[in-house]
Amino acid sequence: TLHGQAAREQRRVGVRVPAPGGRGSGPGGLSKREYEVASLVAEGYTNSQIAERLFVSVRTVETHLSHIFGKLGVTSRVGVVSALNRGDSGQE
C-alpha cells in the first residue's frame, strides 16, 4: 500500500515510524508498553519496581510516565489510576 511504502521510506532515512496497531491502540491512546507501565502504577508499584519488573531503567519508566500523563491529561499517579479505572482519557 501507499502508506506502507511511505513508512518504509521514512524508516530508511531514520524517521521513527510507529508500528501498525502499536501507538494509540490502548485506552487514552497509550501504546502497549505505556499501558503496561500505567497498569503497574495502578497496582501500586514504584518506578524502581516497575523498572525491575520490565527490565528497563528507571529513567525509561519516568519517560513512559511522562508520556502517559500527557496522553491521559493527568498530573499524578493517582490521576493515572483514576483514568484507567474510568477506562477513558478524562481529566483529573
Side-chain angles (χ1 to χ4, degrees), residues 30-83:
L30 299 179
S31 70
K32 184 176 179 181
R33 185 58 130 188
E34 289 166 346
Y35 183 73
E36 194 173 12
V37 170
S39 295
L40 292 171
V41 166
E43 291 177 33
Y45 288 93
T46 65
N47 289 2
S48 297
Q49 291 169 325
I50 294 169
E52 218 174 279
R53 190 173 179 103
L54 299 180
F55 304 104
V56 297
S57 71
V58 173
R59 178 70 183 120
T60 299
V61 172
E62 291 168 354
T63 300
H64 283 308
L65 279 173
S66 173
H67 294 160
I68 291 165
F69 287 176
K71 288 180 179 182
L72 296 180
V74 298
T75 57
S76 69
R77 296 169 76 90
V78 173
V80 172
V81 175
S82 297

Side-chain angles (χ1 to χ4, degrees), residues 1-13 15 17:
T1 68
L2 186 57
H3 183 295
Q5 290 172 333
R8 281 190 296 280
E9 185 62 21
Q10 286 180 320
R11 279 191 205 94
R12 187 185 71 74
V13 297
V15 176
V17 179

